């Protein structure tokens, strides 16, 4: 049996391991357009920040793939799929046949149309190791850096370059940073922390156009303001990488449509990870959940069902755990419910930390924790398991009910501050 996996992220790696576990004799090939063996993508900002060797981000050392007899083809970009002949065509003119195919190419950066930005030598995206290396090799201490996008990717890029460049400004068109995972009150705490550490965040404004011949030297904002710029990082967001799936006539909505077994609408072609459309279990909506744990789970299920095992992906919840200059931000589930959703929102904060629980029909639907992590994993499990809150007792119930809750004392005891 020939298994071909396109993409070397979390989903591709997880699928290869699941296939090998089920089938010790299978021919497994993992092809990626990147020049690196599977690595932990969330670590690229730390590579930029600390300059640690790229190999430290590898999920497994190169020897692992030799031991498992998994062929890894680097710098191998897939061009199209011939589903009838069961072949994948590559840009270098080569082709590979398969019995079962997994698409796990993840996302591609979204670069909105902006005058004066295309093809400039000092304009970068920030999504993979290649982009992080290009930024690292270009920046110098005296440069002014502008980052378009105040979401997770943009802020981690800003934190990464700040270790070298001390003049970093982030632009976010929304009324707050991290608009998809924080509410206004939580975002204001994180923004104040970033400002204290030297990063300026300008919300409600963004770049309209750039000036410069071969490279950008200044920016004009939508508000009309002009700023000098030596480096521009575009981190507005990502889009699912669905073009290869379309070439095989697989059904595509917001992302690639898959069943619970991760098979697409085309027989023997599966998909997993950031390019897939998933069901958000907190509200039943269909969306792209571009999350590392989600990709790992989907990849494992795809690999298992491709190779004769069982498994079903029932949907997921949005989860994020990230830190900025030592401030931990953890969120899960529904965190900004609409006013007509019938949700209760319980909040506790002293201006330096923030806790919010979103509750509906006796179920925990979501939470936001800023500068505190107490029982975050447990609360995530309560959301996933749909455990009735009325069945909880003791400290867990007290924490959600905000009863007997001296947060400042508890933070001092746990965190020493």
């Amino acid at each position: 049996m020939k298994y071909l996996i396109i993409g070397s992220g979390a989903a591709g790696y997880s699928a290869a391991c699941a296939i090998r576990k089920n089938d010790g004799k299978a021919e497994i090939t993992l092809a990626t357009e990147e020049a690196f063996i599977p690595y932990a993508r969330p670590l690229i900002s730390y590579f930029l920040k600390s300059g640690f060797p790229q190999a430290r981000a590898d999920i497994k050392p190169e020897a692992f793939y030799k031991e498992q007899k998994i062929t890894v083809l680097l710098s191998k970009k897939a061009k199209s799929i011939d589903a009838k002949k069961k072949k994948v065509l590559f840009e270098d003119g080569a082709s590979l046949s398969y019995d079962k195919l997994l698409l796990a190419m993840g996302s591609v950066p979204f670069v909105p149309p902006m005058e004066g930005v295309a093809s400039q030598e000092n304009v970068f995206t920030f999504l993979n190791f290649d982009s992080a290396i290009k930024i690292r090799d270009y920046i110098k201490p005296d440069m002014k850096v502008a980052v378009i996008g105040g979401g997770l990717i943009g802020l981690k890029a800003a934190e990464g370059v700040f270790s070298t460049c001390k003049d970093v400004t982030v632009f976010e068109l929304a009324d707050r940073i991290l608009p998809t995972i924080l509410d206004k009150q939580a975002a204001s705490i994180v923004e104040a922390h970033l400002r204290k550490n030297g990063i300026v965040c300008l919300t409600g404004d963004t770049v309209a156009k750039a000036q410069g011949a071969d490279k950008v030297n200044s920016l004009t904002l939508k508000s009309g303001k002009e700023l000098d710029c030596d480096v521009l990082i575009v981190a507005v967001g990502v889009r699912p990488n669905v073009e290869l799936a379309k070439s095989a006539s697989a059904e595509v909505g917001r992302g690639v449509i898959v069943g619970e077994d991760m098979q697409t609408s085309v027989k023997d072609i599966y998909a997993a990870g950031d390019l897939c459309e998933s069901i958000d279990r907190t509200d039943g909506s269909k969306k792209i959940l571009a999350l590392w744990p989600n990709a790992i789970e989907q990849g494992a299920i795809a690999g298992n069902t491709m190779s004769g095992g069982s498994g079903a992906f029932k949907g997921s919840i949005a989860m994020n755990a990230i830190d900025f200059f030592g401030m931990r931000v953890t969120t899960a589930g529904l965190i900004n419910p609409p006013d007509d959703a019938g949700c209760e929102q319980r909040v506790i904060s002293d201006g330096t930390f923030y806790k919010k629980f979103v509750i509906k029909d006796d179920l925990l639907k979501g939470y936001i924790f800023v500068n505190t992590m107490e029982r975050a994993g447990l609360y995530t499990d309560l959301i996933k398991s749909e455990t009735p809150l009325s069945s909880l007792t003791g400290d867990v119930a007290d924490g959600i009910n905000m009863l007997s809750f001296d947060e400042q004392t508890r933070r001092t005891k746990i965190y020493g501050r």
Side-chain angles (χ1 to χ4, degrees), residues 36-48:
F36 313 99
I37 62 175
Y39 61 89
R41 199 175 299 273
L43 294 181
I44 65 172
S45 65
Y46 298 99
F47 164 79
L48 192 58

Side-chain angles (χ1 to χ4, degrees), residues 162-174:
F162 188 79
S163 61
T164 299
C165 307
K166 301 307 179 185
D167 190 334
V168 180
T169 303
V170 177
F171 301 96
E172 172 53 55
L173 187 57

Side-chain angles (χ1 to χ4, degrees), residues 106-351:
S107 304
V108 293
F110 171 64
V111 180
M114 289 178 287
E115 183 182 342
V117 169
S119 302
Q120 301 289 62
E121 69 176 49
N122 59 342
V123 176
F124 305 92
T125 57
F126 188 69
L127 187 62
N128 53 31
F129 246 117
D130 185 57
S131 59
I133 290 171
K134 288 178 179 177
I135 293 171
R136 181 203 62 183
D137 292 346
Y138 188 88
I139 58 176
K140 293 179 176 59
D142 60 345
M143 288 183 169
K144 297 178 184 294
V145 180
V147 180
I148 304 178
L152 289 170
I153 297 174
L155 291 183
K156 291 309 289 186
E159 183 185 27
V161 297
F162 188 79
S163 61
T164 299
C165 307
K166 301 307 179 185
D167 190 334
V168 180
T169 303
V170 177
F171 301 96
E172 172 53 55
L173 187 57
D175 63 356
R176 63 189 184 277
I177 60 171
L178 299 170
T180 62
I181 70 167
L182 296 181
D183 57 21
K184 289 184 179 180
Q185 188 175 352
S188 67
I189 295 173
V190 178
E191 183 177 342
H193 179 71
L194 291 170
R195 190 184 313 115
K196 180 180 177 181
N197 282 276
I199 292 180
V200 177
C201 297
L202 299 181
T203 57
D205 206 355
T206 192
V207 175
K209 63 178 180 178
Q211 290 76 231
D214 297 324
K215 60 183 179 180
V216 172
N217 54 45
S218 66
L219 304 170
T220 301
L221 308 184
K222 286 187 177 293
S223 62
K225 296 178 182 178
E226 291 196 5
L227 297 172
D228 292 337
C229 175
D230 299 304
V231 177
L232 179 61
I233 300 175
V234 182
V236 177
V238 296
R239 296 290 184 269
N241 192 352
V242 299
E243 295 308 311
L244 197 58
K246 287 181 177 180
S247 75
S249 299
E251 183 181 1
V252 174
R254 292 185 176 182
V256 180
I257 307 298
V258 293
E260 291 184 351
D261 63 352
M262 307 311 299
Q263 188 166 199
T264 70
S265 59
V266 180
K267 183 175 170 36
D268 294 330
I269 298 180
Y270 296 71
D274 296 1
L275 78 169
C276 288
E277 186 176 291
S278 301
I279 295 175
D280 188 328
R281 289 170 55 183
T282 57
D283 59 9
S285 63
K286 294 181 179 180
K287 60 181 64 172
I288 304 298
L289 292 171
L291 306 165
W292 181 267
N294 195 47
I296 289 286
E297 182 181 0
Q298 288 189 347
I301 291 172
N304 206 33
T305 56
M306 289 169 71
S307 55
S310 60
F313 185 73
K314 301 290 187 179
S316 186
I317 65 171
M319 297 178 289
N320 294 280
I322 198 164
D323 68 88
F324 302 104
F325 297 104
M327 174 177 276
R328 192 68 169 173
V329 177
T330 311
T331 70
L334 185 64
I335 47 88
N336 282 308
D339 294 337
D340 60 355
C343 294
E344 177 188 358
Q345 301 182 53
R346 301 175 185 174
V347 174
I348 185 169
S349 175
D350 70 354

